């Protein structure tokens, strides 16, 4: 009946369905959730679009990708400029001259460079005295990149909460590079384009799935053989280990628990994203959703606001998997599953769960666009 059965209505599945339909292909999209859009789904609460599964900011330097998504829905001018809170002190992110001024009172790039290099040299001397040639873990890598002050206040506690592991137990490659800028610039991304769909991400998903048959509250695995028989090919965006019945074992994930709260005030924290970097604070950050789409005095047009506290935790069955744990054990396990996937002639695996890879949104769209160009 169909050319493609697409399992999952998130950004990969929806973009695939859209481009396939434009080529005259018949698609059926199924999703076990009661809504389309996967983790970019937004819920309207008190006239505010709440990013139900965490903050999503679209950013890219690829003009074709930017033009593509804007042809479906216009994007606003939101610029991601998160703030980190440690105790009662606030620091701008990413690490830039504003951060260095807040940390040390330095006002010139050279002063900041000197301060960082002074702390780096202390770390190097200690490692050399202990006979350590290369960073063995995330902590040593971060100290070599940015020094002890910023690491202790802005990286250590946040990272350990995010991953549920000590920095000394995390591999160094996770933090091989840190965005460090010796200019007064709080724009988190280096990409040329960024923003949020005007009217929210649901509008983007609705545009991608326009004219495509979608069945929600539908679990692929409950009637797998019947669904497979409906289409020539399957596009699978779920967990790859589940697809193969966990034959080699479970891949590990981190997940996020959210506490959403409506507040009787127009402006709670003055910014969309505030990271809490102290280990003693149980949540990793607070999102104030109205700041994604309201700017300046617009914020005060709605007398209420919605905030979400995010708690990072280890994934367990029944939870939504978020972040792959790309350590050595899981990377080797994924390669075993990938070898099976590479042998499939009628199944396409795509997205962060099927490829066990952390994806931003724009690379997902770009990857699907290239798939259709190559074919």
């Amino acid at each position: 009946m169909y050319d493609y059965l697409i399992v999952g209505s998130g950004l990969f599945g929806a973009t695939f369905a859209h481009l396939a339909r434009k080529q005259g292909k018949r698609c059926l999209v199924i999703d076990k959730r009661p809504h389309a859009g996967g983790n970019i789904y937004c819920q309207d609460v008190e006239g505010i679009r709440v990013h139900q599964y965490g903050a999503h900011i679209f950013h890219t330097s690829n003009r074709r990708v930017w033009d593509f998504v804007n042809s479906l829905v216009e994007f606003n001018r939101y610029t991601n400029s998160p703030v980190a809170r440690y105790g009662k002190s606030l620091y701008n992110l990413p690490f830039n001259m504003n951060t260095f001024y807040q940390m040390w009172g330095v006002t010139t790039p050279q002063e900041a460079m000197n301060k960082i290099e002074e702390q780096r040299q202390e770390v190097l001397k200690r490692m050399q005295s202990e006979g350590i040639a290369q960073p063995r873990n995330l902590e040593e890598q971060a100290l070599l990149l940015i020094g002890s002050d910023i690491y202790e206040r802005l990286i250590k506690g946040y990272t350990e909460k995010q991953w549920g592991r000590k920095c000394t137990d995390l591999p160094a490659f996770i933090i091989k590079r840190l965005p460090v800028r010796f200019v007064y610039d709080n724009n988190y991304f280096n990409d040329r384009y960024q923003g949020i769909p005007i009217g929210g991400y649901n509008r983007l998903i609705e545009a991608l799935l326009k004219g495509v048959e979608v069945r929600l509250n539908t679990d692929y695995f409950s009637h797998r053989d019947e669904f497979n028989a409906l289409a020539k090919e399957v596009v699978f965006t779920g967990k790859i280990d589940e697809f193969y019945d966990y034959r080699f074992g479970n891949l590990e994930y981190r997940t996020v628990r959210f506490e959403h709260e409506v507040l009787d005030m127009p402006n709670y924290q003055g910014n969309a994203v505030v990271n809490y970097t102290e280990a003693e604070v149980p949540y990793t950050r607070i999102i104030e959703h109205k700041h994604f789409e309201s700017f300046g005095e617009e914020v005060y047009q709605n007398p209420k606001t919605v905030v979400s506290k995010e708690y990072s935790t280890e994934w367990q069955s029944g939870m939504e998997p978020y972040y792959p744990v790309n350590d050595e054990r899981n990377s080797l396990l994924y390669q075993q599953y990938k070898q099976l996937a590479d042998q499939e002639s009628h199944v396409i695996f795509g997205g962060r769960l099927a490829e066990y890879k952390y994806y931003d949104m724009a690379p997902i769209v770009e990857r699907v666009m290239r798939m259709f160009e190559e074919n």
Side-chain angles (χ1 to χ4, degrees), residues 134-152:
Q134 296 292 332
R136 299 166 297 180
N137 51 56
L138 185 148
E139 177 167 288
E140 291 174 354
Q141 181 69 69
L143 288 168
L144 273 182
L145 289 171
I146 202 67
S148 58
D149 287 348
I150 289 177
Y151 170 72
E152 291 292 340

Side-chain angles (χ1 to χ4, degrees), residues 60-332:
T60 183
S61 290
N62 187 320
R63 180 61 183 267
R64 291 179 61 251
V65 170
W66 185 246
D67 287 345
F68 170 72
V69 295
N70 274 270
S71 72
L72 298 164
V73 56
E74 185 180 359
F75 278 61
N76 68 20
R77 57 88 169 167
Y78 176 79
T79 300
N80 190 29
S81 302
V83 173
R85 178 163 182 159
Y86 182 87
K88 294 185 178 180
S89 299
L90 296 174
Y91 300 91
N92 290 108
L93 298 175
F95 306 138
N96 69 79
M97 284 304 300
N98 288 308
T99 322
F100 307 142
Y101 173 74
Q102 292 151 354
M103 183 70 66
W104 301 308
V106 297
T107 57
T108 69
Q110 192 59 55
E111 288 177 316
M113 290 179 190
N114 291 344
K115 192 71 177 177
I116 292 172
E117 186 59 27
E118 173 188 323
Q119 295 189 4
R120 287 186 67 252
Q121 288 302 319
E122 291 176 3
V123 176
L124 274 172
K125 287 178 184 176
R126 186 171 70 248
M127 288 176 61
Q128 289 169 358
S129 69
E130 297 174 10
I132 303 169
Q134 296 292 332
R136 299 166 297 180
N137 51 56
L138 185 148
E139 177 167 288
E140 291 174 354
Q141 181 69 69
L143 288 168
L144 273 182
L145 289 171
I146 202 67
S148 58
D149 287 348
I150 289 177
Y151 170 72
E152 291 292 340
R153 289 194 182 192
L154 304 183
I155 297 176
K156 186 176 188 294
Y158 185 88
T159 303
E160 291 184 347
K161 288 190 291 186
Q162 189 80 358
W163 290 97
R165 294 158 175 80
K166 291 186 178 300
C167 287
T168 50
D169 295 332
L170 290 167
F173 72 80
I174 291 179
I175 202 166
K176 276 288 186 184
R177 292 193 303 162
L178 281 171
V180 179
R181 301 175 188 159
F182 294 96
V183 292
Y184 290 91
D185 180 9
N186 298 325
N187 182 358
Y188 193 82
F189 300 122
N190 288 316
D191 291 308
R192 189 173 180 184
Y193 311 105
Q194 66 180 299
I196 306 285
I198 295 175
Y201 281 102
N202 293 0
R203 288 192 60 204
L204 174 62
I205 293 296
E206 288 165 5
L208 287 169
L209 293 176
K210 185 177 181 181
V212 176
E213 183 178 347
V214 180
R215 300 182 192 174
L216 302 176
N217 295 303
T218 303
D219 185 0
Y220 170 70
F221 292 105
S222 64
H223 299 89
R224 181 171 180 161
D225 292 338
E226 296 173 32
F227 282 124
N228 288 344
L230 293 176
K232 298 174 184 176
E233 292 190 72
V234 174
V235 178
F236 184 76
T237 70
K239 293 168 59 207
I240 191 170
D241 53 351
E242 185 178 15
F243 185 88
Y244 288 109
D245 299 317
Y246 306 101
R247 71 176 64 174
F248 302 125
N250 290 63
L251 290 165
E252 294 177 302
Y253 296 89
R254 297 292 291 172
T255 189
V256 182
R257 177 174 64 84
F258 300 94
E259 288 183 357
H260 305 293
E261 186 178 3
V262 179
L263 301 177
D264 289 317
M265 61 177 69
N267 191 0
Y268 174 71
Q269 63 187 18
N271 202 47
V273 182
V274 176
N275 293 353
Y276 284 74
T277 60
E278 287 178 281
E280 294 75 18
V281 178
Y283 41 87
T284 55
R285 61 183 185 175
I286 295 180
I287 306 298
E288 187 171 10
H289 298 268
K290 69 178 354 181
H291 293 293
F292 290 124
E293 298 185 64
S294 299
F295 310 103
E297 292 304 311
E298 294 175 359
V299 171
Y300 292 90
Q301 292 176 7
N302 187 331
K304 296 191 176 184
T305 193
V306 180
V307 298
S308 300
K309 292 179 179 177
E310 297 187 3
Y311 298 81
S312 182
T313 185
E314 203 75 15
W315 178 85
Q316 295 179 1
S317 180
M319 298 178 174
E320 290 294 340
Y322 276 75
Y323 308 110
V325 181
N326 294 122
D327 58 15
E328 184 177 2
R329 179 259 178 196
N330 285 289
S331 297
L332 291 172

